[in-house]
Amino acid sequence: CWLDQPATSSWGNVVVSSGPSSLEQLLQKGERPLYHLSRFSQLSPHPTTGSFSGEVRLGFVVDGSQRAPIKGGSITGNVFDAFQRARFSAERTVRGRMHVPRALRLDGIALTGG
């Protein structure tokens, strides 16, 4: 539909490869606080620059074994920069017709408010 071309086959499933790290490893705090975001508004990156922003609906500040809930605030970043350092979890899940890693860690995303 984005190319204004008729479909030539049926819909397929999207499959994204897993990463080598467990979810537990991805949730380990680094130099900065770690924010585990569970729900956020739709992120629509700019098609040329890759810049995006979105509203945090539900998340947690993770510090070792302690988690404190957060709600509100916004996240901003650049999808091209973020995915150069992206890390996918080894655990997998099915979301709709997609077979994807259960988690994705993106470093270098800014969080404000919340």
Side-chain angles (χ1 to χ4, degrees):
C1 67
W2 296 305
L3 300 175
D4 293 327
Q5 297 293 318
T8 58
S9 63
S10 62
W11 288 98
N13 289 337
V14 174
V15 177
V16 178
S17 297
S18 298
S21 302
S22 69
L23 178 59
E24 182 178 321
Q25 290 170 320
L26 292 182
L27 290 176
Q28 290 179 352
K29 179 181 169 187
E31 296 175 11
R32 300 179 183 176
L34 176 70
Y35 296 94
H36 181 192
L37 303 181
S38 300
R39 302 274 184 253
F40 44 87
S41 63
Q42 181 176 346
L43 305 175
S44 298
H46 185 276
T48 304
T49 66
S51 296
F52 67 86
S53 64
E55 178 187 340
V56 175
R57 303 283 168 89
L58 175 64
F60 301 90
V61 178
V62 178
D63 188 5
S65 63
Q66 297 187 2
R67 297 165 48 108
I70 59 171
K71 180 180 178 183
S74 65
I75 57 173
T76 58
N78 183 283
V79 36
F80 301 127
D81 294 339
F83 274 92
Q84 287 181 356
R85 297 181 301 275
R87 292 185 280 162
F88 296 93
S89 69
E91 297 87 354
R92 301 192 55 76
T93 189
V94 176
R95 303 253 170 135
R97 294 174 65 150
M98 299 186 302
H99 300 262
V100 295
R102 183 170 170 214
L104 163 68
R105 180 168 177 157
L106 297 176
D107 294 319
I109 303 297
L111 181 102
T112 56

